[in-house]
Amino acid sequence: MKVENNKKVSVEYTAMDEQGNVFDTNVGKEPLKIIVGAQNVVPGFEENLIGMEENEEKEFDVPPEKGYGPYMEELVTEVEKSRIPNADQLVKGTFVQLQSKDGYPVIAYVKDVTDSKVVFDLNHPFAGKNLHFKVKILKVEEPTKEELLHGHVHDNHNHEE
Ligand code: ZN
């Protein structure tokens, strides 16, 4: 069976930055399972899987516009230390979880810490970057009706929706 939209696909992948540094891989771990076309992954990733067969391997690039989007300067914000309860614990170059105005968790990169301010970068860590992927298709299956309806694989979770 070939990979096409609405198929359930198990994938082994290695993700690299432009310099070839591996930043994520599931080789030797649980396969990534997605419903193709349901946007479980960035568009440039699932597009490249279409037409592949089980056991087939491939390498491809994903530009920012088909990956995590462009880097946006407006998502870099300076906050006065006096407004941050745990400002002294923030370390430049690390990621922290903040809360949006609506109460949702947001991951922010601590871009800089000065005497009076902290600079947070709310861009996705891979925004504006060209990514390089190495993939192997492990399995192509028909999803269950429920999986197709929900747009995600149910192997590792059960829920009522
Ligand atoms: Zn579901």
Side-chain angles (χ1 to χ4, degrees), residues 146-147 149-154 157-161:
E146 203 190 31
E147 285 176 326
L149 196 67
H150 289 187
H152 55 229
V153 171
H154 280 167
H157 78 284
N158 278 305
H159 60 171
E160 290 166 26
E161 269 171 18

Side-chain angles (χ1 to χ4, degrees), residues 38-93:
Q39 298 177 338
N40 301 156
V41 290
V42 295
F45 186 86
E46 59 180 8
E47 264 177 32
N48 270 286
L49 303 184
I50 290 172
M52 290 181 75
E53 308 260 10
E54 283 186 4
N55 292 315
E56 192 178 339
E57 295 180 48
K58 186 174 173 182
E59 286 194 42
F60 54 84
D61 289 310
V62 172
E65 59 273 22
K66 297 220 163 174
Y68 293 91
Y71 185 86
M72 292 186 275
E73 279 302 332
E74 57 269 36
L75 292 179
V76 178
T77 49
E78 275 187 10
V79 183
E80 296 287 335
K81 267 186 172 173
S82 56
R83 292 180 50 208
I84 310 169
N86 61 344
D88 292 339
Q89 293 162 30
L90 296 175
V91 180
K92 181 180 171 177

